[in-house]
Amino acid sequence: MDLELAWNQMSANIFKNLHELVKKSKDPISIMELAKDYRSLLKAASTILGCKDEIQSKMIVLIKQAHCLNKRVDDFHDKLHQNYNIPHFGVTESFKDYLKDLQEFMTIWKEETEKGRRKGEKSLIEWLQELDQSQRKITFEAMKNVVIDLGTNVSKIITDFLLLVVILGDRKHIIKNLDDFKAMIKLLSVEKNKDNSIVIKAFLGVIQLVETTMGKRKGLNGNRGEETEIAGKIELEIMRMILKEILRLEVALCCPDLVMVLTDEVYLSMGIHLRNFFGTKLNDVNMKMNALRMEVALLSFVQSHKDENEVEFVKETMAIEVQNIWNKLDL
């Protein structure tokens, strides 16, 4: 990826998050400090881009600084959404310890779910399943499409990310990561002492799809060599962001927080809101993935034309399979 383009994308991401924080945060001093650092980066970028000599080395340094600022903005943003603030995975932390942290974090949602059950509330999925399809078929089909589209969109982000990691990484290491990823996803179920929800089951099916694809396409790995520290951290950040979106969808669809069946107008309005909300969140994940692609470029990763064709074929094939997984959702 072109360094100037990578910088522009990252800069836009920082600006977008800062703009949202300005509207929501009650801590203007912290916002001003972040904004000041952002302006300094913009000024430095303007100077570097205006000078062709040594532009690449200087831009690499600047982009690393932007990574740090972006993380500070992301962390501050997370404080506004504590219930979705999934624990960070420390580079030196054992996976077993992380699972304990994640399990402890999920007690927030399991308690919310139990509270809703005691009140007799039901989840959006449950109320949709009770809709009289003879009289409200249009509403049911519209909301079913929302659920399928949201699940498919999140899943495509997952497969794109994992495919990129698979292409760059060591096969044994990646397979272990996929097993770890599945273990994390299972913990995101909001129900206590119950089987995985249909949402969690669908996402586990997506990870299984990646595993199956790897088994058939054994040439898609091992091209990166030694991983840089920044690239490794970015991968962990993206994985955490994806887990957050899986949790958001699980909560939106499976957490019992609705007292009664809704009117058609409310259902349709809710569908529009969910599409817009997840569209924004997934765009954030995609922009972070651009940062990972930029790291790939900095590592001088070069694919042959044949490799590129195979990657595109695998992406298209998995996209079709992902759609099939969500189309079969039992609503």
Side-chain angles (χ1 to χ4, degrees), residues 215-227:
K216 295 178 180 178
R217 301 278 173 176
K218 295 187 177 181
L220 292 177
N221 75 292
N223 294 314
R224 172 163 55 189
E226 186 177 353
E227 180 184 272

Side-chain angles (χ1 to χ4, degrees), residues 138-310:
I138 293 177
T139 299
F140 175 82
E141 290 297 329
M143 290 304 295
K144 180 179 179 180
N145 287 336
V146 169
V147 173
I148 291 173
D149 289 348
L150 293 180
T152 300
N153 292 342
V154 175
S155 297
K156 285 181 178 177
I157 289 284
I158 293 173
T159 54
D160 284 355
F161 167 63
L162 292 178
L163 179 58
L164 182 59
V165 175
V166 165
I167 293 169
L168 299 177
D170 173 72
R171 177 167 293 273
K172 290 182 179 179
H173 181 64
I174 295 302
I175 290 176
K176 181 183 182 303
N177 282 352
L178 290 176
D179 289 338
D180 292 349
F181 205 5
K182 284 191 289 188
M184 294 178 200
I185 292 174
K186 288 179 181 179
L187 289 179
L188 298 181
S189 177
V190 295
E191 292 280 9
K192 189 176 182 179
N193 300 325
K194 287 187 69 174
D195 292 336
N196 293 321
S197 70
I198 59 174
V199 171
I200 297 299
K201 286 179 181 177
F203 282 120
L204 291 174
V206 171
I207 305 302
Q208 184 61 49
L209 169 64
V210 176
E211 283 189 289
T212 303
T213 302
M214 281 184 60
K216 295 178 180 178
R217 301 278 173 176
K218 295 187 177 181
L220 292 177
N221 75 292
N223 294 314
R224 172 163 55 189
E226 186 177 353
E227 180 184 272
T228 67
E229 182 179 353
I230 289 180
K233 287 182 178 179
I234 293 174
E235 288 176 13
L236 290 176
E237 288 175 19
I238 294 172
M239 183 174 288
R240 177 174 175 267
M241 292 176 76
I242 289 172
L243 288 173
K244 287 170 70 173
E245 299 320 309
I246 293 174
L247 175 59
R248 287 188 211 276
L249 193 59
E250 166 77 356
V251 170
L253 301 180
C254 301
C255 187
D257 56 2
L258 298 173
V259 179
M260 63 184 71
V261 67
L262 305 175
T263 65
D264 291 344
E265 291 77 12
V266 174
Y267 271 127
L268 297 177
S269 177
M270 183 182 293
I272 293 172
H273 170 73
L274 287 172
R275 285 186 186 277
N276 292 337
F277 181 80
F278 275 92
T280 299
K281 293 298 179 182
L282 294 182
N283 185 57
D284 291 342
V285 181
N286 214 16
M287 292 190 75
K288 181 68 74 172
M289 286 172 63
N290 283 337
L292 179 59
R293 295 180 186 114
M294 178 199 65
E295 291 298 329
V296 172
L298 295 179
L299 286 164
S300 301
F301 172 72
V302 179
Q303 293 176 311
S304 68
H305 184 64
K306 179 182 177 182
D307 289 336
E308 290 178 358
N309 289 339
E310 185 173 10

